[in-house]
Amino acid sequence: MDLILETERLLLRPMELSDAEAMFAMDSNPLVHKYLWQKPSQNIEEIIKVIEYLQKQYRENNIGRFAAILKETGEFIGWTGIKYINDHVENGNTNFYDYGYRLDEKFWSKGYATEASIAWLDYGFKQMKIDKMNAYTHSENGASNHILQKVGMQWVEDYLDKDGVLWKWWQMNNPNQ
């Protein structure tokens, strides 16, 4: 996959195996997983499997989560992007486009998630012609809930996952249609 998106401060490019070490540093941090599934990565082999899965999604769906790279330094700051969800059911839905991101803690509260979100929504709606973008966040993740609202997503409903954890379901219709 040769797609690269560029924002003022970020390069958003397909994930590579060379990102494994930086991604492991991010995903082994319990604070990064506070509003996820409370399962920080235990070893780099887990991350390599995730990257291989992402690369499979690129081939099968022509889209997926991308590495977010800080232009100024070349640092991996996390991942962002559109994923086609067809491998599980979320809030009663499958076969839908989902926007998501995860950033390393040292890059929180700097506007990077908002910047990447705006770029991805623009790409998804204008280039991919997606009718409706979805996202879901832990109900207590105030920062992510605020970012999704700020970039134009609408809260639809709260729902419980299979473990009884409360999540928020967000959607945004393509403003160009």
Side-chain angles (χ1 to χ4, degrees), residues 4 13 22 29 48 50-51 53 68-70 83 94 113 115 117 125 148 151 159 164-165 170 173:
I4 296 177
R13 60 148 173 82
N29 179 347
I48 290 169
V50 169
I51 293 172
Y53 174 74
I69 307 297
L70 195 57
K83 178 180 178 183
T94 193
E115 190 173 319
S117 298
F125 290 137
L148 292 179
V151 299
Y159 70 98
V165 176
W170 298 85
N173 291 322

Side-chain angles (χ1 to χ4, degrees), residues 3 38 61 67 73 90 93-94 100 103 107 117 120 123 168:
L3 173 66
Q38 303 287 335
N61 302 319
T73 63
E90 192 67 41
N93 299 282
T94 193
L103 298 181
F107 299 103
S117 298
W120 277 113
Y123 180 81
K168 292 190 173 298

